[in-house]
Amino acid sequence: MNLPPLIQTFVLHFGEMGSRWGINRTVGQIYALLFLSPDPLNAEQIVQQLGFSRSNVSMGLKELQAWNLVRLQHLPDDRRDYFTTPGDLWEILRTLAEERKKREVDPTLTMLREVLMQTPSSDAERHAQTRMQDMHDLIELLTRWYDDIHRIEPSRLAQLLSLGAKVQKIFEVKDWLTGGGPERTGRSVPAAPADSGDTTDRRRPPSGS
Amino acid sequence: MNLPPLIQTFVLHFGEMGSRWGINRTVGQIYALLFLSPDPLNAEQIVQQLGFSRSNVSMGLKELQAWNLVRLQHLPDDRRDYFTTPGDLWEILRTLAEERKKREVDPTLTMLREVLMQTPSSDAERHAQTRMQDMHDLIELLTRWYDDIHRIEPSRLAQLLSLGAKVQKIFEVKDWLTGGGPERTGRSVPAAPADSGDTTDRRRPPSGS
DNA sequence: CCGTAATTTCAGAAATTTGTGAAATTATAG
DNA sequence: CTATAATTTCACAAATTTCTGAAATTACGG
């Protein structure tokens, strides 16, 4: 391996981290290298810099493409394949989430649904099913949230995130406006917003920011 | 392996899934079994049900304890160790997030900070550093958000999540209330938060712990 | 203490995953 | 079509991880 020290540290770290996820060391390092590179790289250049065999690099790139983590492009008058990672980190994050969801979450949800359809034939199975139902509901809540949130454009999302727990105050506002308690979350007031003619017993607006 | 079919399906699935994460098949299966079990189990019972060697189960339980995913307890007049998983799924989720953060995110942040301190000695290194800075900033934003959010009690958090992308409306409310945010908040002069009554889906009320 | 039950450790066997070079395939220019 | 460059496939070697049984350790009642 023949890299500037600063880059090498990063590449090695991602190699290690890669193996904690499903991804293997080689693939992690290839990705890290592409991520840091200002220009697209071809397989031969990666071989040069990381010292893996040509075939191993080929495999690694194939895997990264399967994960949609890497983009293939061509330079004029050069028929080798060049690879890059997206410049926008939010896009990378989204891809990562998308792919992991597809590979891990969705199959689990499917499995849970199938098993929950079956009729339990013992107390043990009955209990197991309630546990699985809980898990199913939680996962579904989280994925629905994700499906909803992941379309928000990055700068807005960043704003939202930096709000952190303060978003809770939205409930105070909502309660104040609707007169509903925090327990009742139902889509209970479909049409006209409650703030119009309602003169009875308003709450105080939330204090502090 | 000698299990009711419905439980077996779940256990095997988690074995597979486990290996996609850092966790190995055995450990995944042990966890799944404990998760479904109505009562605490001791090592011998796990050996019975999963058919692993006693020592393998011992290792697996040790690993689960290291992850804080499993709780050790004792029954009266019985000196064997019994294990359970928490009944509250939110707690499990939190533990999982906590531990992964500790093992994966924090070391990465540390590494990035160290490397960002160094003085680049080439254009390549200079470019690499800006990439790393981007990554650092994104991770920090996400972890700050997590640190903030993870303390919210489950039922409230469930409410919040089921709001999904609608939380964006908070900016309208906030602008309206404060007449200016801490940061460059949407200057698109929102209408008064007239619609905020209808913010959530109609779902079952959040099931508290 | 002693005896026994429970658990853990650990060296190495078994299984799985990763990495390689050689050969095959694909693509392209002439 | 042929020659050559680029990439991929694949059988097997190397490395790593997982799993086991035997031995060691720990815990505890008597």
Coordinates of all heavy atoms in Angstrom, one line a residue, chain C residues 4-28:
Chain C
dT4 P -19.0 -35.8 45.2 OP1 -19.9 -36.9 45.5 OP2 -17.8 -36.0 44.4 O5' -19.9 -34.7 44.4 C5' -20.9 -34.0 45.1 C4' -21.3 -32.8 44.4 O4' -20.3 -31.7 44.6 C3' -21.5 -33.0 42.9 O3' -22.7 -32.4 42.5 C2' -20.3 -32.2 42.3 C1' -20.2 -31.1 43.4 N1 -18.9 -30.3 43.4 C2 -18.9 -29.0 43.6 O2 -20.0 -28.3 43.7 N3 -17.7 -28.4 43.6 C4 -16.5 -28.9 43.5 O4 -15.4 -28.3 43.5 C5 -16.5 -30.4 43.3 C7 -15.2 -31.1 43.1 C6 -17.7 -31.0 43.2
dA5 P -23.4 -32.8 41.1 OP1 -24.5 -33.7 41.4 OP2 -22.3 -33.2 40.2 O5' -24.0 -31.4 40.7 C5' -24.6 -30.5 41.6 C4' -24.4 -29.1 41.2 O4' -23.0 -28.7 41.3 C3' -24.7 -28.9 39.7 O3' -25.6 -27.8 39.6 C2' -23.4 -28.7 39.0 C1' -22.6 -28.1 40.1 N9 -21.1 -28.3 40.1 C8 -20.4 -29.5 39.9 N7 -19.1 -29.3 39.9 C5 -18.9 -28.0 40.1 C6 -17.8 -27.2 40.3 N6 -16.5 -27.7 40.2 N1 -17.9 -25.8 40.5 C2 -19.2 -25.4 40.5 N3 -20.4 -26.0 40.4 C4 -20.1 -27.3 40.2
dA6 P -26.2 -27.4 38.2 OP1 -27.5 -26.8 38.5 OP2 -26.1 -28.5 37.3 O5' -25.2 -26.2 37.8 C5' -25.2 -25.0 38.6 C4' -24.2 -24.1 38.0 O4' -22.8 -24.7 38.2 C3' -24.3 -23.9 36.5 O3' -24.6 -22.5 36.3 C2' -23.0 -24.3 35.9 C1' -22.1 -24.3 37.0 N9 -21.0 -25.3 37.0 C8 -21.1 -26.7 36.8 N7 -20.0 -27.3 36.8 C5 -19.0 -26.3 37.0 C6 -17.6 -26.3 37.1 N6 -16.9 -27.5 37.0 N1 -17.0 -25.2 37.3 C2 -17.7 -24.0 37.4 N3 -19.0 -23.9 37.3 C4 -19.6 -25.1 37.1
dT7 P -24.7 -21.9 34.8 OP1 -25.5 -20.6 34.9 OP2 -25.1 -22.9 33.9 O5' -23.2 -21.5 34.6 C5' -22.6 -20.6 35.5 C4' -21.1 -20.5 35.1 O4' -20.4 -21.7 35.2 C3' -21.0 -20.0 33.7 O3' -20.3 -18.7 33.7 C2' -20.1 -21.0 33.0 C1' -19.4 -21.7 34.2 N1 -19.0 -23.1 34.0 C2 -17.7 -23.4 34.1 O2 -16.8 -22.6 34.3 N3 -17.4 -24.8 33.9 C4 -18.3 -25.8 33.6 O4 -17.9 -26.9 33.5 C5 -19.6 -25.4 33.5 C7 -20.7 -26.4 33.3 C6 -20.0 -24.1 33.7
dT8 P -20.0 -17.9 32.4 OP1 -20.0 -16.5 32.7 OP2 -20.8 -18.4 31.3 O5' -18.4 -18.3 32.2 C5' -17.5 -18.1 33.3 C4' -16.2 -18.5 32.9 O4' -16.2 -20.0 32.7 C3' -15.7 -18.0 31.5 O3' -14.5 -17.3 31.8 C2' -15.5 -19.2 30.6 C1' -15.4 -20.3 31.6 N1 -15.9 -21.7 31.2 C2 -15.0 -22.7 31.2 O2 -13.8 -22.6 31.4 N3 -15.6 -23.9 30.8 C4 -16.9 -24.2 30.5 O4 -17.3 -25.3 30.2 C5 -17.7 -23.0 30.5 C7 -19.2 -23.2 30.2 C6 -17.2 -21.8 30.9
dT9 P -13.7 -16.6 30.7 OP1 -13.0 -15.4 31.3 OP2 -14.5 -16.4 29.5 O5' -12.5 -17.6 30.3 C5' -11.8 -18.2 31.3 C4' -10.8 -19.3 30.7 O4' -11.6 -20.5 30.4 C3' -10.1 -18.8 29.4 O3' -8.8 -19.1 29.6 C2' -10.8 -19.6 28.3 C1' -11.2 -20.9 29.1 N1 -12.3 -21.7 28.6 C2 -12.1 -23.1 28.5 O2 -11.1 -23.7 28.8 N3 -13.3 -23.8 28.1 C4 -14.5 -23.2 27.7 O4 -15.4 -23.9 27.4 C5 -14.6 -21.8 27.9 C7 -15.9 -21.1 27.5 C6 -13.5 -21.1 28.3
dC10 P -7.6 -18.5 28.7 OP1 -6.4 -18.3 29.5 OP2 -8.2 -17.4 27.9 O5' -7.4 -19.8 27.7 C5' -7.2 -21.1 28.3 C4' -7.1 -22.1 27.1 O4' -8.4 -22.6 26.8 C3' -6.6 -21.4 25.8 O3' -5.7 -22.4 25.2 C2' -7.9 -21.3 25.0 C1' -8.6 -22.5 25.5 N1 -10.1 -22.5 25.2 C2 -10.7 -23.8 25.1 O2 -10.1 -24.8 25.2 N3 -12.1 -23.8 24.9 C4 -12.7 -22.6 24.8 N4 -14.0 -22.6 24.6 C5 -12.1 -21.3 25.0 C6 -10.7 -21.3 25.2
dA11 P -4.4 -21.9 24.5 OP1 -3.4 -21.7 25.6 OP2 -4.7 -20.9 23.5 O5' -3.9 -23.3 23.7 C5' -4.0 -24.5 24.4 C4' -4.4 -25.6 23.4 O4' -5.9 -25.5 23.3 C3' -3.8 -25.5 22.0 O3' -3.5 -26.8 21.6 C2' -4.9 -24.8 21.2 C1' -6.2 -25.3 21.9 N9 -7.3 -24.4 21.8 C8 -7.3 -23.0 21.9 N7 -8.5 -22.5 21.8 C5 -9.4 -23.6 21.7 C6 -10.8 -23.7 21.6 N6 -11.6 -22.7 21.6 N1 -11.3 -24.9 21.6 C2 -10.5 -26.0 21.6 N3 -9.1 -26.0 21.7 C4 -8.7 -24.8 21.7
dG12 P -2.7 -27.0 20.2 OP1 -1.8 -28.1 20.5 OP2 -2.2 -25.7 19.7 O5' -3.8 -27.6 19.2 C5' -4.6 -28.7 19.6 C4' -5.9 -28.6 18.8 O4' -6.6 -27.4 19.1 C3' -5.7 -28.6 17.3 O3' -6.6 -29.5 16.7 C2' -6.1 -27.2 16.9 C1' -7.2 -26.9 17.9 N9 -7.7 -25.6 18.1 C8 -7.0 -24.4 18.3 N7 -7.8 -23.4 18.4 C5 -9.0 -23.9 18.3 C6 -10.3 -23.3 18.4 O6 -10.5 -22.1 18.6 N1 -11.4 -24.2 18.3 C2 -11.2 -25.5 18.1 N2 -12.3 -26.3 18.1 N3 -10.0 -26.1 18.1 C4 -9.0 -25.3 18.2
dA13 P -6.3 -30.3 15.4 OP1 -5.5 -31.5 15.7 OP2 -5.8 -29.3 14.4 O5' -7.8 -30.7 14.9 C5' -8.7 -31.2 15.9 C4' -10.1 -31.0 15.4 O4' -10.4 -29.6 15.6 C3' -10.3 -31.2 13.9 O3' -11.5 -31.9 13.7 C2' -10.2 -29.8 13.3 C1' -10.8 -28.9 14.4 N9 -10.3 -27.6 14.5 C8 -9.0 -27.2 14.5 N7 -8.8 -25.9 14.7 C5 -10.1 -25.4 14.8 C6 -10.6 -24.1 14.9 N6 -9.9 -23.0 15.0 N1 -12.0 -24.0 15.0 C2 -12.7 -25.0 14.8 N3 -12.4 -26.3 14.7 C4 -11.0 -26.4 14.7
dA14 P -12.1 -32.1 12.2 OP1 -13.0 -33.3 12.3 OP2 -11.0 -32.0 11.3 O5' -13.0 -30.9 12.0 C5' -14.1 -30.6 12.9 C4' -15.0 -29.5 12.3 O4' -14.3 -28.2 12.5 C3' -15.2 -29.7 10.8 O3' -16.6 -29.5 10.6 C2' -14.4 -28.6 10.1 C1' -14.3 -27.5 11.2 N9 -13.1 -26.7 11.2 C8 -11.8 -27.1 11.1 N7 -10.9 -26.2 11.2 C5 -11.7 -25.0 11.4 C6 -11.3 -23.7 11.6 N6 -10.1 -23.2 11.6 N1 -12.3 -22.8 11.8 C2 -13.6 -23.2 11.8 N3 -14.0 -24.5 11.7 C4 -13.0 -25.3 11.5
dA15 P -17.3 -29.4 9.2 OP1 -18.7 -29.9 9.3 OP2 -16.3 -29.9 8.2 O5' -17.4 -27.8 9.0 C5' -18.0 -27.0 10.0 C4' -18.0 -25.6 9.5 O4' -16.7 -25.0 9.6 C3' -18.5 -25.4 8.1 O3' -19.5 -24.4 8.1 C2' -17.2 -24.9 7.4 C1' -16.4 -24.3 8.5 N9 -14.9 -24.3 8.3 C8 -14.1 -25.3 8.0 N7 -12.9 -25.0 8.0 C5 -12.8 -23.7 8.3 C6 -11.8 -22.8 8.5 N6 -10.5 -23.1 8.3 N1 -12.1 -21.5 8.8 C2 -13.4 -21.2 9.0 N3 -14.4 -22.0 8.9 C4 -14.1 -23.2 8.6
dT16 P -20.2 -23.9 6.8 OP1 -21.6 -23.7 7.1 OP2 -19.8 -24.8 5.6 O5' -19.5 -22.5 6.6 C5' -19.4 -21.6 7.7 C4' -18.6 -20.4 7.3 O4' -17.2 -20.8 7.2 C3' -19.0 -19.8 5.9 O3' -19.3 -18.5 6.2 C2' -17.7 -20.0 5.1 C1' -16.6 -20.1 6.2 N1 -15.4 -20.8 5.8 C2 -14.2 -20.2 6.0 O2 -14.1 -19.0 6.5 N3 -13.1 -20.9 5.7 C4 -13.1 -22.2 5.2 O4 -12.0 -22.8 5.0 C5 -14.4 -22.8 5.0 C7 -14.5 -24.2 4.5 C6 -15.5 -22.1 5.3
dT17 P -19.8 -17.5 5.0 OP1 -20.7 -16.6 5.5 OP2 -20.0 -18.3 3.8 O5' -18.4 -16.7 4.8 C5' -17.7 -16.2 5.9 C4' -16.5 -15.5 5.5 O4' -15.5 -16.5 5.2 C3' -16.6 -14.6 4.3 O3' -16.1 -13.4 4.6 C2' -15.9 -15.4 3.2 C1' -14.8 -16.1 4.0 N1 -14.3 -17.4 3.4 C2 -12.9 -17.6 3.4 O2 -12.1 -16.8 3.7 N3 -12.5 -18.8 2.9 C4 -13.3 -19.8 2.4 O4 -12.9 -20.9 2.0 C5 -14.8 -19.6 2.5 C7 -15.7 -20.6 2.0 C6 -15.2 -18.4 3.0
dT18 P -15.9 -12.1 3.6 OP1 -16.0 -10.9 4.4 OP2 -16.9 -12.3 2.5 O5' -14.5 -12.3 3.1 C5' -13.4 -12.4 4.0 C4' -12.1 -12.5 3.3 O4' -11.9 -13.8 2.8 C3' -11.9 -11.5 2.1 O3' -10.6 -11.0 2.3 C2' -12.0 -12.4 0.9 C1' -11.4 -13.8 1.5 N1 -11.9 -15.0 0.8 C2 -10.9 -16.0 0.5 O2 -9.7 -15.8 0.8 N3 -11.4 -17.1 0.0 C4 -12.7 -17.4 -0.3 O4 -13.0 -18.5 -0.8 C5 -13.6 -16.4 0.0 C7 -15.1 -16.7 -0.3 C6 -13.2 -15.3 0.6
dG19 P -10.0 -9.9 1.4 OP1 -9.1 -9.0 2.1 OP2 -11.0 -9.4 0.5 O5' -9.0 -10.9 0.5 C5' -7.8 -11.4 1.0 C4' -7.1 -12.1 -0.1 O4' -7.8 -13.2 -0.5 C3' -6.8 -11.2 -1.3 O3' -5.4 -11.2 -1.6 C2' -7.7 -11.8 -2.4 C1' -7.8 -13.2 -1.9 N9 -9.1 -13.9 -2.3 C8 -10.4 -13.5 -2.2 N7 -11.2 -14.3 -2.6 C5 -10.5 -15.4 -3.0 C6 -10.9 -16.7 -3.5 O6 -12.0 -17.1 -3.7 N1 -9.8 -17.5 -3.8 C2 -8.5 -17.2 -3.5 N2 -7.6 -18.1 -3.8 N3 -8.1 -16.0 -3.0 C4 -9.1 -15.2 -2.8
dT20 P -4.9 -10.6 -2.9 OP1 -3.5 -10.0 -2.5 OP2 -5.9 -9.7 -3.5 O5' -4.6 -11.8 -3.8 C5' -3.8 -12.9 -3.3 C4' -3.7 -13.9 -4.4 O4' -4.9 -14.6 -4.6 C3' -3.3 -13.3 -5.8 O3' -2.0 -13.8 -6.2 C2' -4.4 -13.8 -6.7 C1' -5.1 -14.9 -6.0 N1 -6.6 -14.9 -6.1 C2 -7.2 -16.1 -6.6 O2 -6.6 -17.1 -6.8 N3 -8.6 -16.0 -6.7 C4 -9.4 -14.9 -6.4 O4 -10.6 -15.0 -6.5 C5 -8.7 -13.7 -5.9 C7 -9.5 -12.5 -5.6 C6 -7.4 -13.8 -5.8
dG21 P -1.3 -13.2 -7.4 OP1 0.1 -13.0 -7.0 OP2 -2.1 -12.0 -7.9 O5' -1.4 -14.3 -8.5 C5' -1.1 -15.7 -8.2 C4' -1.5 -16.6 -9.3 O4' -3.0 -16.6 -9.3 C3' -1.1 -16.1 -10.7 O3' -0.8 -17.3 -11.4 C2' -2.3 -15.4 -11.2 C1' -3.5 -16.2 -10.6 N9 -4.7 -15.4 -10.3 C8 -4.8 -14.1 -10.0 N7 -6.0 -13.7 -9.8 C5 -6.8 -14.9 -10.0 C6 -8.2 -15.1 -9.9 O6 -9.1 -14.3 -9.6 N1 -8.5 -16.4 -10.2 C2 -7.6 -17.4 -10.5 N2 -8.1 -18.6 -10.7 N3 -6.3 -17.2 -10.6 C4 -6.0 -15.9 -10.3
dA22 P -0.1 -17.2 -12.9 OP1 1.2 -17.9 -12.7 OP2 -0.3 -15.9 -13.4 O5' -1.1 -18.2 -13.7 C5' -1.8 -19.3 -13.1 C4' -2.9 -19.7 -13.9 O4' -4.1 -18.9 -13.5 C3' -2.7 -19.5 -15.4 O3' -3.3 -20.6 -16.1 C2' -3.5 -18.2 -15.7 C1' -4.6 -18.3 -14.7 N9 -5.2 -17.0 -14.3 C8 -4.5 -15.8 -14.1 N7 -5.3 -14.8 -13.7 C5 -6.6 -15.4 -13.7 C6 -7.9 -14.9 -13.3 N6 -8.1 -13.6 -13.0 N1 -8.9 -15.7 -13.4 C2 -8.7 -17.0 -13.8 N3 -7.6 -17.6 -14.1 C4 -6.5 -16.7 -14.0
dA23 P -3.3 -20.7 -17.7 OP1 -2.8 -22.1 -18.0 OP2 -2.6 -19.5 -18.2 O5' -4.9 -20.6 -18.0 C5' -5.8 -21.3 -17.2 C4' -7.2 -20.9 -17.6 O4' -7.4 -19.6 -17.1 C3' -7.4 -20.8 -19.1 O3' -8.6 -21.3 -19.5 C2' -7.3 -19.3 -19.4 C1' -7.9 -18.7 -18.1 N9 -7.5 -17.4 -17.7 C8 -6.3 -16.8 -17.8 N7 -6.2 -15.5 -17.4 C5 -7.6 -15.3 -17.0 C6 -8.2 -14.1 -16.5 N6 -7.5 -13.0 -16.3 N1 -9.5 -14.2 -16.3 C2 -10.2 -15.3 -16.6 N3 -9.7 -16.5 -17.0 C4 -8.4 -16.4 -17.2
dA24 P -9.3 -21.2 -20.9 OP1 -9.8 -22.6 -21.2 OP2 -8.3 -20.6 -21.8 O5' -10.5 -20.2 -20.7 C5' -11.4 -20.5 -19.7 C4' -12.4 -19.4 -19.7 O4' -11.8 -18.1 -19.3 C3' -13.0 -19.1 -21.1 O3' -14.4 -19.0 -21.0 C2' -12.3 -17.8 -21.6 C1' -12.1 -17.1 -20.2 N9 -11.0 -16.2 -20.2 C8 -9.7 -16.5 -20.6 N7 -8.8 -15.4 -20.4 C5 -9.6 -14.4 -19.9 C6 -9.4 -13.1 -19.5 N6 -8.2 -12.6 -19.6 N1 -10.4 -12.4 -19.0 C2 -11.6 -12.9 -18.9 N3 -12.0 -14.2 -19.3 C4 -10.9 -14.9 -19.8
dT25 P -15.3 -18.7 -22.2 OP1 -16.6 -19.4 -22.0 OP2 -14.5 -18.9 -23.5 O5' -15.6 -17.1 -22.1 C5' -16.2 -16.6 -20.9 C4' -16.2 -15.1 -21.0 O4' -14.9 -14.6 -21.0 C3' -16.9 -14.6 -22.2 O3' -18.0 -13.8 -21.8 C2' -15.8 -13.8 -23.0 C1' -14.9 -13.4 -21.8 N1 -13.5 -13.2 -22.1 C2 -13.0 -11.9 -21.8 O2 -13.6 -11.1 -21.3 N3 -11.6 -11.8 -22.1 C4 -10.8 -12.7 -22.7 O4 -9.6 -12.4 -23.0 C5 -11.4 -13.9 -23.1 C7 -10.6 -15.0 -23.7 C6 -12.7 -14.1 -22.7
dT26 P -19.0 -13.2 -22.8 OP1 -20.3 -13.1 -22.1 OP2 -18.9 -13.9 -24.1 O5' -18.5 -11.7 -22.9 C5' -18.3 -10.9 -21.8 C4' -17.7 -9.6 -22.2 O4' -16.3 -9.8 -22.5 C3' -18.4 -9.0 -23.4 O3' -18.8 -7.7 -23.0 C2' -17.2 -9.0 -24.5 C1' -16.0 -9.0 -23.6 N1 -14.7 -9.5 -24.2 C2 -13.6 -8.8 -24.1 O2 -13.5 -7.7 -23.6 N3 -12.5 -9.4 -24.6 C4 -12.4 -10.6 -25.2 O4 -11.3 -11.1 -25.6 C5 -13.6 -11.4 -25.2 C7 -13.7 -12.7 -25.9 C6 -14.7 -10.8 -24.7
dA27 P -19.5 -6.7 -24.0 OP1 -20.4 -5.8 -23.2 OP2 -20.0 -7.5 -25.2 O5' -18.3 -5.8 -24.5 C5' -17.5 -5.1 -23.5 C4' -16.5 -4.3 -24.2 O4' -15.4 -5.1 -24.7 C3' -17.0 -3.6 -25.5 O3' -16.6 -2.2 -25.4 C2' -16.4 -4.3 -26.7 C1' -15.1 -4.8 -26.1 N9 -14.6 -6.1 -26.6 C8 -15.2 -7.2 -27.0 N7 -14.5 -8.2 -27.4 C5 -13.2 -7.6 -27.4 C6 -11.9 -8.1 -27.8 N6 -11.7 -9.3 -28.2 N1 -10.9 -7.3 -27.6 C2 -11.1 -6.1 -27.1 N3 -12.2 -5.5 -26.7 C4 -13.2 -6.3 -26.9
dT28 P -17.0 -1.2 -26.4 OP1 -17.3 0.1 -25.7 OP2 -18.1 -1.8 -27.3 O5' -15.7 -1.0 -27.3 C5' -14.5 -0.7 -26.6 C4' -13.4 -0.7 -27.7 O4' -13.0 -2.0 -28.0 C3' -13.7 0.0 -29.0 O3' -12.7 0.8 -29.4 C2' -13.9 -1.2 -30.0 C1' -12.8 -2.1 -29.4 N1 -12.9 -3.5 -29.8 C2 -11.7 -4.2 -30.0 O2 -10.6 -3.7 -29.9 N3 -11.9 -5.5 -30.4 C4 -13.1 -6.2 -30.5 O4 -13.1 -7.4 -30.8 C5 -14.3 -5.4 -30.3 C7 -15.7 -6.1 -30.4 C6 -14.1 -4.1 -29.9

